[in-house]
Amino acid sequence: MKISPSTIAHGMALLQDPLLNKGTAFTEVERDALGLRGLLPPHVQTQEEQVARFLVNMRRLPNPLDKFIALSGLHDRNEGLFFRVVCDNLDEIMPLIYTPTVGLACQRFGHIFQRHRGLFISIHDRGRISEILRNWPHKASIIVVTDGERILGLGDLGANGMGIPVGKLSLYTACAGVDPAICLPITLDVGTNNEELLADPYYVGLRRHRVTGEIYDDFVDEFINAARQVFPNVIIQFEDFANHNAFRLLEQYRNQICTFNDDIQGTAAVALAAMLSALQVKGTQLADETFLFLGAGEAATGIADLLVAAMVAQGLTPELARQRCWLVDSKGLVVQSRSGLAAQKQPYAHAHAEVDSFLAAVQALRPTAIIGVAAVGGAFNTEVLQTMAEINPQPIVFALSNPTSKAECTAEEAYTATQGRALFACGSPFDPVVYQGNTLVPRQGNNAYIFPGLGLGAISCGAKHITDEMFLAAAHTLAASVTPEDLAQGSLLPPLTRVREVSVQIAVAVAEVIFEQGLASKSRPEDLPALVRAHVYDPRYVSYV
């Protein structure tokens, strides 16, 4: 494909546009046509040579944060090269641009800040948010927005949380080929209650405590309405909002606009997919299992809700399905007799005596699966794991919290304590484990298996809403992509090297649901996979002359 030189910037302006810049790969003809002669060293490199050079230099760096900084710098200079590096080396690069490294990068955001990316909209911008959105130079089709109050398992990082929307949108492109030109990361800065950040001279956000209540709600509502006005049909993904806002914002807007919350719904879909793989190994059905969650927030109740939806689809009543799911929060087992329960916990508050610890809940309920999403590092200790192994021939152990410091247990701990019998998935990446001569390969239950493909499908069809049925379709498609060879080595999800292929399959499955539910703003084509593939971005350079 060629792009007419008359349609793009020339000279230094072109070299400073990361969406168009090719650096030393501009050809002799392009250099003459685009006013680049003399602005670049004379040797013309291929993109493959540029990738190799970057990797050599990056791999010399001493730690993941330095590598994150190097990758961010490349992202700011040359998006085509950045995504070529990521796509060709996904296993190596994803942990650097997202979990677990992104957690530390957010904590240090103000100290490592190099160049603006996305939009920061503060509470002081009320009344002119649409004007600010128009400062963005591209047409956005998908926005990832955070208010920074619950970043990963690290808590309130305020404006430093911008690393999350930037990282998520990088994964949209790397994992599903969503065009980076239509991706917009946004941070809503309403202050922070993190006193350490407020005292940090390099903190990039407002130096004030968080705004709450009606003012906060009006601010978010103005943003939603402005985004829909400036970018019609845009998908808005809520990311890392605290529980007290996440659930109600999702319920408020999910039937008004095209939106979802990845912490609630994306996490649920990837966990369901891994669970379906585990049950394939066991030869059981969802209704045969008892699920015990460590955590009762966005991730836990989101997973439980989708498990219930999947069991209902298999013929169970909602009431019986919910009885298969139990929650443990900071006060112990969530039971019917406890007062003051948050709305999202109430469906899972069953009749049972009070239990004050997770281990005691395991002993009392004898679950077949434990799912950790409370960001309590080490909570699945040896006693918990051994108890699960005593109860179950093949205990399901999902330690889904991230970053790594918040993981409930490591892969090695899970396999060792269960004599290699655990069906294990994790939220942070762990290396393969050799147990009694067998190599077990844990796979990260990363939302990147779900949300990029779902977003690609929604963009391809011009979806009007995102529904639970779309997440169910995504989960079943992901589970179906796991091979017998994967399962034989303990992998409940496919390798990341296949994620772009799997994401296209998910996008097609999601698009099927969108058209079935009458939620597409486009007419259904004869070839749905072709419609999806037409929206896939390729990071290889194109000719400009």
Side-chain angles (χ1 to χ4, degrees), residues 57-78:
N57 289 318
M58 185 199 74
R59 288 166 179 161
R60 289 191 184 119
L61 297 173
N63 59 63
L65 184 60
D66 285 340
K67 293 177 182 180
F68 175 95
I69 294 169
L71 285 158
S72 296
L74 179 61
H75 196 184
D76 290 339
R77 294 191 304 274
N78 182 334

Side-chain angles (χ1 to χ4, degrees), residues 3 52 67 76 86 99-100 138 146 166 172 178 199 276 329 376 393 409 421-422 431 494 527 537:
I3 298 175
K67 293 177 182 180
D76 290 339
V86 176
T99 57
H138 309 290
T146 187
V166 170
Y172 268 103
V178 174
L276 293 172
D329 63 12
V376 180
C409 66
R421 293 185 279 120
D431 292 331
D527 190 340
Y537 162 86

Side-chain angles (χ1 to χ4, degrees), residues 443-477:
R443 291 264 161 80
Q444 184 183 6
N446 195 316
N447 294 13
Y449 283 111
I450 294 290
F451 69 79
L454 182 135
L456 176 63
I459 290 168
S460 300
C461 303
K464 298 174 184 177
H465 299 289
I466 304 293
T467 65
D468 289 341
E469 289 78 9
M470 297 174 199
F471 285 99
L472 275 175
H476 282 285
T477 303

